[in-house]
Amino acid sequence: MINLLWTIYLGLLGTASLGYLLKGKYKSIPGKIDFVVSVITWIGLLGYVKHIQWLNPLTWKVITISALLWDILFGMLLKDHQGEDILQEISIGKRRALMFVTLVLALGPLYYGLFRYSF
């Protein structure tokens, strides 16, 4: 049952990113880097869910820490949220707090699985 929930979560992450890719949302260099980082982290989560060791644990430790730092940097600072109408009325401090909470809720399980896979 747990593997089914992990697989559903992995499918939701992949579907969202592939939808963004098909809509052309990854036009900038940071956006393209984010897509590549996402694909690498999906591979790690898939390895965790299916109990397959693709690379050595040290490599996954580096990938996990680097990807986590990238997602925080990209989600909080590099991604252009300024043009979205829904965020115009929120102050920059509250906007960043909202983005952080969203990142934790959406990507928390991903990094939990990667942490378990690496360490």
Side-chain angles (χ1 to χ4, degrees), residues 75-106:
M76 299 287 291
L77 301 175
L78 296 178
K79 192 172 180 182
D80 183 27
H81 296 286
Q82 310 306 324
E84 297 181 24
D85 294 336
I86 194 167
L87 296 175
Q88 291 297 330
E89 299 173 4
I90 303 173
S91 70
I92 192 73
K94 289 181 183 177
R95 193 178 312 171
R96 293 251 164 85
L98 180 64
M99 285 184 239
F100 183 75
V101 169
T102 303
L103 279 172
V104 169
L105 291 176

Side-chain angles (χ1 to χ4, degrees), residues 33-117:
I33 292 170
D34 186 57
F35 182 73
V36 170
V37 169
S38 295
V39 170
I40 293 169
T41 57
W42 301 335
I43 292 169
L45 186 61
L46 183 63
Y48 171 70
V49 171
K50 300 298 181 185
H51 306 288
I52 301 169
Q53 188 66 42
W54 280 310
L55 300 171
N56 64 29
L58 178 62
T59 304
W60 283 109
K61 289 174 186 173
V62 171
I63 289 171
T64 300
I65 293 168
S66 301
L68 178 62
L69 292 174
W70 170 258
D71 273 339
I72 291 170
L73 177 70
F74 181 74
M76 299 287 291
L77 301 175
L78 296 178
K79 192 172 180 182
D80 183 27
H81 296 286
Q82 310 306 324
E84 297 181 24
D85 294 336
I86 194 167
L87 296 175
Q88 291 297 330
E89 299 173 4
I90 303 173
S91 70
I92 192 73
K94 289 181 183 177
R95 193 178 312 171
R96 293 251 164 85
L98 180 64
M99 285 184 239
F100 183 75
V101 169
T102 303
L103 279 172
V104 169
L105 291 176
L107 298 179
L110 171 68
Y111 285 105
Y112 172 78
L114 282 177
F115 179 81
R116 295 287 309 255
Y117 187 56

